[in-house]
Amino acid sequence: MKTVRKLLKIVIVMVVLVGAFAVYEYTQITQLVPQIKTYAFNGQSIDYASATIRYHLLGGLIPLDRTYVQDQLIKVNTDRILNTLTVSEATHITITTPDQQVQTLTGSHELAFEDDGEYKIELEDTDPDGNPTHYAFYVVVDSVADISISNLTPFQGELLVIELANIKQNSTISIESSLLPSIVTQQDHTARFYVPIQYRNSVAAYPLTIVINDKRYEYTLDVKPFAFDKVYFTVDDDIINGPAGSPEAAAQFRNATYPLLNIVEPEDLHTGSFILPVDGARVSSTFGEMRYINGSTTPSRHGGIDYAITCGTPVVASNSGLVQYADFLDMTGNTVYIEHGMGLKTVYYHMLDLTIKAGDLVEKGQLIGHVGTTGFSTGCHLHFQAMIKNQLINPDFLYQLFK
């Protein structure tokens, strides 16, 4: 009997000790801050909204589930359309859009929020021990376009490149300007257009408004004067009064080339910067120079750059593009028009011959003909010009603008 009582006491003591240890473990668990991994949205940590963690008392004999709940969900503000969400490979993602559409994904993603407003993002996952975790947070989107203008203080004759980013796909884009911008081309969340500043544009401040999905972005282009050359020279009357200088030649030129000015390829065809169409040539006439011919007091204006060099020197395409015209005209001789996309064209006059034809796609540096003195010309040279629509621009800017 004494032995039984002794065993009973031992059992009671053990139960008390085990119970005390279990209470101690429970107390410790209730004071734990759960070590739950956080995920990241645009690099910002996102904590769980709720998590159920299974703990074990007494060396695993007694399971204990504890649920942790955050008091308030995180709200993230972003002006980005494309956002990064970094999660586990197996994380289940549910996105509720501002108009209550639901999208489901799995694993890390780049999220495109095409519309402004509040998005709810929920993440369902398990930790390495199989415990379920639930993450939820809000993203408030108020997108702002990224607009890059190559130069806000351009010179007369300069070509401006305007690039738009962080815009939703299939955006509605319009341009308000007196400077006759090119068409706008959009790809995914970016867009681009050109603004030509021709030599006839006065030195002044020109407003430029870009409207993207009813949001207005206002700029001012402060056009600076370009130092145009003045030249005085004599041209023989037999050239001026010959076939190349006749009204018929001018009409032929207009009929052949003017319709080309409104025919554009909607996408960029060129790659990188433009190159010189001839190597080793001397610039005999500069862009926009004022020409006083045979004593005239009213100058004509030169629309391109003349490169003087021996007849027969190779002429190459300044960049890749579509040949829109390649033929002989009385006024400009063997003539080539190349469309480089979005209405940006380069033009080549007075060549000895042509090695390409209309409709050809040419590569940058490809042979298109040879230097000549055909048409209204006083010597071997290539007349090279660039334009958007009927707006002549200085080809020199093309050599450095596109990198």
Side-chain angles (χ1 to χ4, degrees):
M1 195 68 178
K2 289 183 179 179
T3 302
V4 174
R5 283 199 294 268
K6 184 179 291 188
L7 288 174
L8 184 57
K9 287 181 180 179
I10 293 173
V11 170
I12 292 172
V13 170
M14 290 182 63
V15 170
V16 170
L17 290 175
V18 169
F21 186 71
V23 170
Y24 171 77
E25 281 192 319
Y26 177 80
T27 302
Q28 294 296 106
I29 289 172
T30 58
Q31 295 176 353
L32 282 176
V33 176
Q35 299 300 309
I36 303 172
K37 59 189 175 185
T38 57
Y39 295 133
F41 179 83
N42 289 344
Q44 177 178 340
S45 294
I46 302 298
D47 292 324
Y48 66 90
S50 64
T52 300
I53 308 297
R54 172 158 289 187
Y55 299 99
H56 294 87
L57 304 177
L58 302 179
L61 293 176
I62 303 175
L64 174 65
D65 290 341
R66 282 189 54 80
T67 298
Y68 300 87
V69 179
Q70 298 285 8
D71 294 333
Q72 187 174 359
L73 297 184
I74 293 174
K75 184 171 287 190
V76 179
N77 295 302
T78 182
D79 61 4
R80 303 290 89 192
I81 290 176
L82 296 178
N83 301 268
T84 57
L85 178 61
T86 305
V87 297
S88 301
E89 290 184 3
T91 303
H92 182 74
I93 305 167
T94 301
I95 302 172
T96 304
T97 66
D99 60 358
Q100 301 306 302
Q101 299 295 311
V102 177
Q103 179 184 12
T104 59
L105 304 166
T106 302
S108 296
H109 274 80
E110 182 176 64
L111 304 180
F113 296 143
E114 297 289 345
D115 298 309
D116 289 348
E118 186 174 87
Y119 293 74
K120 185 177 183 180
I121 300 180
E122 298 176 88
L123 313 175
E124 300 292 341
D125 207 347
T126 56
D127 69 10
D129 296 323
N131 298 308
T133 55
H134 173 242
Y135 297 69
F137 62 101
Y138 296 98
V139 177
V140 180
V141 180
D142 185 12
S143 62
V144 178
D146 295 332
I147 300 176
S148 171
I149 299 177
S150 57
N151 192 359
L152 287 171
T153 57
F155 287 99
Q156 293 168 306
E158 189 167 343
L159 178 66
L160 302 183
V161 178
I162 291 84
E163 296 180 313
L164 315 178
N166 197 49
I167 59 176
K168 72 178 185 179
Q169 297 187 69
N170 303 315
S171 288
T172 300
I173 304 170
S174 62
I175 314 301
E176 299 174 7
S177 173
S178 62
L179 294 172
L180 300 182
S182 73
I183 65 168
V184 179
T185 182
Q186 181 177 356
Q187 183 175 12
D188 296 327
H189 298 95
T190 64
R192 160 189 279 206
F193 67 95
Y194 303 130
V195 174
I197 316 257
Q198 68 163 340
Y199 61 73
R200 289 191 178 91
N201 288 127
S202 302
V203 174
Y206 293 85
L208 172 67
T209 300
I210 305 170
V211 185
I212 307 173
N213 302 321
D214 297 325
K215 288 186 179 180
R216 300 175 66 84
Y217 301 84
E218 310 278 352
Y219 298 90
T220 299
L221 303 177
D222 189 10
V223 175
K224 303 297 184 185
F226 187 85
F228 296 111
D229 292 339
K230 293 182 180 181
V231 295
Y232 302 83
F233 60 92
T234 301
V235 177
D236 291 341
D237 287 341
D238 59 347
I239 295 178
I240 293 177
N241 298 321
S246 68
E248 292 77 15
Q252 179 198 44
F253 174 80
R254 289 193 299 270
N255 291 336
T257 65
Y258 280 20
L260 302 175
L261 303 182
N262 294 317
I263 301 175
V264 305
E265 290 295 313
E267 303 293 336
D268 281 331
L269 301 177
H270 63 84
T271 55
S273 292
F274 285 62
I275 62 174
L276 286 166
V278 289
D279 284 331
R282 172 180 62 87
V283 174
S284 57
S285 292
T286 58
F287 171 79
E289 71 179 19
M290 293 172 279
R291 292 175 160 184
Y292 297 85
I293 301 173
N294 296 347
S296 171
T297 57
T298 302
S300 61
R301 300 297 294 268
H302 190 234
I305 298 176
D306 285 349
Y307 294 104
I309 199 168
T310 306
C311 283
T313 300
V315 178
V316 301
S318 185
N319 214 316
S320 54
L322 174 66
V323 178
Q324 289 187 316
Y325 187 86
D327 210 340
F328 184 88
L329 294 170
D330 290 336
M331 188 167 73
T332 54
N334 284 308
T335 299
V336 171
Y337 277 67
I338 299 178
E339 161 73 13
H340 300 284
M342 298 169 57
L344 175 59
K345 305 181 195 299
T346 52
V347 181
Y348 311 73
Y349 292 163
H350 309 305
M351 286 192 283
L352 177 67
D353 59 9
L354 303 174
T355 60
I356 41 81
K357 64 184 183 301
D360 286 351
L361 285 170
V362 294
E363 300 296 325
K364 178 164 56 177
Q366 180 178 332
L367 181 71
I368 63 172
H370 297 84
V371 172
T373 183
T374 56
F376 195 99
S377 171
T378 59
C380 295
H381 77 287
L382 174 74
H383 173 92
F384 178 62
Q385 68 184 39
M387 61 175 60
I388 297 260
K389 298 179 181 176
N390 65 341
Q391 309 293 293
L392 294 169
I393 53 178
N394 190 341
D396 275 339
F397 288 107
L398 298 184
Y399 303 142
Q400 53 191 310
L401 184 60
F402 301 100
K403 298 297 184 183

